[in-house]
Amino acid sequence: MKLSPLLAWRGFGLLAAESGPNRLFLGQGTMSGEITDASALLQTRLTQASELNAEGDLPGAAGVVCFEWSKHEDFREARRTPFQPATDQHDFIVRAEIADLKSGTTYHYRAVFGGTEAAAQPGPSCSFKTLPGGETDTPVRFIVGSCMNYNKFMHGKRGKASGPLTATEEDKRLGFPSVESMQKLRPDFFVGTGDIVYYDNPLRVAKTVPQLRQCWHEQFRFPRLIEFFRHVPAYWSKDDHDFRFNESDNTTDALPLPKTGIDMFREQLPLVVTGGDKPSYRTHRVSKDLQIWLTEGRDYRSPNAMPDGPEKSLWGAEQREWLKTTLKASDAKWKILISPTPMVGPDDLKKIDNHADLSGFRHEADAFFAWLKEKNIENLTLVCGDRHWQYHSIHPSGIHEFACGALNDENARMGVAPGAKNGSDPQALIKQEYTSATPQGGFLQITAGDELVFEHFDSRGKLLHRVVL
């Protein structure tokens, strides 16, 4: 393929438009998100370079962007969105929604970008596949990942790494090995269930908007991430570290403030249309067999320190009623609730942050499990992030929970067993089918068709545990 003299590839799909001092880059690639059976969000960010500067940041650049998409790899019969400006108001991110798509269909798309519309050139070709939709029983395979700690990965013990230091110099140049392992599995989509970046680390605590944005820039400029999300659409949820700081709620005036954390997450990832006010909790009917729920665990929660009881809620009343209503209405064979934090665990005894914790939000969790039994909600499985070890646990009510673990080895740790004195299940009421034998990063793959299959992998792609429900 011969490129225009105004274009220059730099591996892994990075592209520069124009030349000289006006050169523009897609330094964080181009990605898609919130795929349905008929629509998608497309996103890119214009940058001044493709590598971090001396301050460890990837500054943005002004310009214009539109997206074109087609069912054909050569972009025959392509359609285009209107051009939009890339400005500092939105961190030079441009996002557009495309609709009227055909279900279960692969679409090719790319950003067209430049300093002006007349100078705009097409970027690398990307792709996504729309969901099969509720009338089609096509099997679907997707991956869930969480806890992507940049400073532990890059700086090891200086970054307070808790797990083994396995990142090579090549890994630190290319990005997390788990992402390369995930790409080899060719999933239909990815779910990032919180702690996508870490604002709080002893090496660097981010509080201001520029500091928060830098955390996203340094993470998503990795070539492995660019290449993975170039062809794998994603759904995103936030947890504490990509909201404010460890175990954060909506109390205190410590920076970043809650609204800043909410706005930043919506700015940086294709979750809603730019400026959109849709709630971040949502459900997607993926196929005839599968429906997924993505819950919001930070925006509506009661104070962590509030005594547990009927009035204390992690979800908030509106989200909780929405969850019950949509679960009751679903006729999907397989229902998967994907939560940033655990509901079963076990977790550490000292924590007060989630539904599994004894001094956390246990009353709401117990009431929810009782409601599931009362309403005979069948074939519901829980998946969570947050915990830095992988496990498969079964609640006394019979509900299964799978934790995806931390994505990178340096952020992993050993788990807490049922019956442990330092855990949230001192009476050993939880049955644990699997837990990580050693501290290691990895991810969870789920296949939904005639059967529902859960597979834990380590960061290098080794299958560790497989169960069929």
Side-chain angles (χ1 to χ4, degrees), residues 246-299:
N246 187 47
E247 299 198 357
S248 49
D249 55 19
N250 293 285
T251 64
T252 82
D253 57 359
L255 298 180
L257 295 174
K259 186 179 187 305
T260 304
I262 292 169
D263 291 346
M264 184 60 55
F265 199 83
R266 287 170 170 259
E267 174 189 82
Q268 292 294 320
L269 292 170
L271 177 68
V272 295
V273 295
T274 302
D277 58 359
K278 280 186 179 180
S280 47
Y281 58 86
R282 66 267 197 213
T283 182
H284 288 286
R285 186 61 182 259
V286 178
S287 66
K288 185 176 182 180
D289 294 323
L290 175 65
Q291 185 166 348
I292 63 173
W293 283 258
L294 303 167
T295 54
E296 172 57 62
R298 296 290 154 184
D299 296 5

Side-chain angles (χ1 to χ4, degrees), residues 3-19:
L3 296 176
S4 157
L6 294 179
L7 304 178
W9 289 93
R10 194 190 170 276
F12 289 97
L14 297 179
L15 188 73
E18 304 188 33
S19 59

Side-chain angles (χ1 to χ4, degrees), residues 84-148:
Q84 299 181 58
T87 67
D88 59 355
Q89 181 182 357
H90 299 295
D91 197 25
F92 305 97
I93 292 170
V94 174
R95 184 181 307 149
E97 184 176 31
I98 59 174
D100 300 321
L101 307 179
K102 184 178 179 180
S103 64
T105 301
T106 297
Y107 284 88
H108 303 273
Y109 71 98
R110 58 191 177 189
V112 180
F113 69 106
T116 64
E117 293 184 24
Q121 297 283 346
S125 177
C126 312
S127 65
F128 65 83
K129 188 175 182 179
T130 50
L131 300 181
E135 303 300 319
T136 306
D137 58 4
T138 303
V140 174
R141 188 162 43 85
F142 65 100
I143 287 174
V144 182
S146 180
C147 304
M148 303 158 62

Side-chain angles (χ1 to χ4, degrees), residues 105-418:
T105 301
T106 297
Y107 284 88
H108 303 273
Y109 71 98
R110 58 191 177 189
V112 180
F113 69 106
T116 64
E117 293 184 24
Q121 297 283 346
S125 177
C126 312
S127 65
F128 65 83
K129 188 175 182 179
T130 50
L131 300 181
E135 303 300 319
T136 306
D137 58 4
T138 303
V140 174
R141 188 162 43 85
F142 65 100
I143 287 174
V144 182
S146 180
C147 304
M148 303 158 62
N149 196 305
Y150 179 89
N151 278 303
K152 291 184 180 182
F153 176 69
M154 294 295 290
H155 304 296
K157 293 302 181 185
R158 287 200 304 121
K160 299 298 182 182
S162 53
L165 309 183
T166 62
T168 65
E169 289 306 310
E170 181 181 37
D171 290 333
K172 293 177 183 181
R173 181 175 63 85
L174 299 178
F176 304 110
S178 281
V179 177
E180 183 177 53
S181 300
M182 293 189 301
Q183 185 170 356
K184 291 177 181 177
L185 295 172
R186 301 176 63 85
D188 292 306
F189 58 87
F190 173 81
V191 179
T193 180
D195 296 341
I196 310 305
V197 299
Y198 281 67
Y199 294 148
D200 53 332
N201 183 277
L203 276 178
R204 188 266 329 277
V205 177
K207 296 182 178 182
T208 66
V209 167
Q211 291 169 343
L212 301 178
R213 284 172 170 170
Q214 181 174 341
C215 295
W216 296 95
H217 303 163
E218 64 189 12
Q219 189 87 296
F220 281 86
R221 55 86 193 186
F222 276 132
R224 283 174 177 159
L225 271 72
I226 290 172
E227 189 65 12
F228 180 72
F229 292 116
R230 182 180 168 193
H231 295 295
V232 179
Y235 306 86
W236 304 97
S237 297
K238 69 176 176 295
D239 197 16
D240 48 352
H241 297 284
D242 47 7
F243 172 48
R244 300 181 68 193
F245 41 79
N246 187 47
E247 299 198 357
S248 49
D249 55 19
N250 293 285
T251 64
T252 82
D253 57 359
L255 298 180
L257 295 174
K259 186 179 187 305
T260 304
I262 292 169
D263 291 346
M264 184 60 55
F265 199 83
R266 287 170 170 259
E267 174 189 82
Q268 292 294 320
L269 292 170
L271 177 68
V272 295
V273 295
T274 302
D277 58 359
K278 280 186 179 180
S280 47
Y281 58 86
R282 66 267 197 213
T283 182
H284 288 286
R285 186 61 182 259
V286 178
S287 66
K288 185 176 182 180
D289 294 323
L290 175 65
Q291 185 166 348
I292 63 173
W293 283 258
L294 303 167
T295 54
E296 172 57 62
R298 296 290 154 184
D299 296 5
Y300 314 107
R301 68 165 52 208
S302 304
N304 291 342
M306 179 178 175
D308 200 13
E311 300 304 314
K312 188 177 184 180
S313 175
L314 187 147
W315 289 325
E318 185 175 322
Q319 179 179 194
R320 186 174 59 238
E321 291 310 306
W322 162 86
L323 180 58
K324 290 179 177 180
T325 299
T326 52
L327 281 170
K328 283 175 62 177
S330 176
D331 63 355
K333 180 193 297 184
W334 310 119
K335 305 173 185 69
I336 301 179
L337 193 165
I338 304 174
S339 168
T341 52
M343 295 195 70
V344 178
D347 197 6
D348 294 314
L349 177 62
K350 64 182 180 180
K351 284 178 62 66
I352 60 171
D353 185 52
N354 60 59
H355 282 121
D357 295 334
L358 289 174
S359 299
F361 297 80
R362 180 66 72 88
H363 186 279
E364 183 173 56
D366 290 344
F368 180 67
F369 287 124
W371 178 86
L372 292 173
K373 185 176 182 178
E374 176 191 344
K375 300 300 180 182
N376 197 29
I377 305 296
E378 297 181 335
N379 295 330
L380 174 67
T381 306
L382 308 179
V383 170
C384 72
D386 185 53
R387 299 299 73 214
H388 293 199
W389 63 94
Q390 298 176 331
Y391 67 74
H392 169 202
S393 294
I394 305 175
H395 188 265
S397 67
I399 299 293
H400 294 248
E401 179 173 82
F402 294 83
C404 63
L407 198 79
N408 59 300
D409 291 345
E410 297 78 10
N411 200 28
R413 52 160 279 194
M414 292 300 293
V416 181

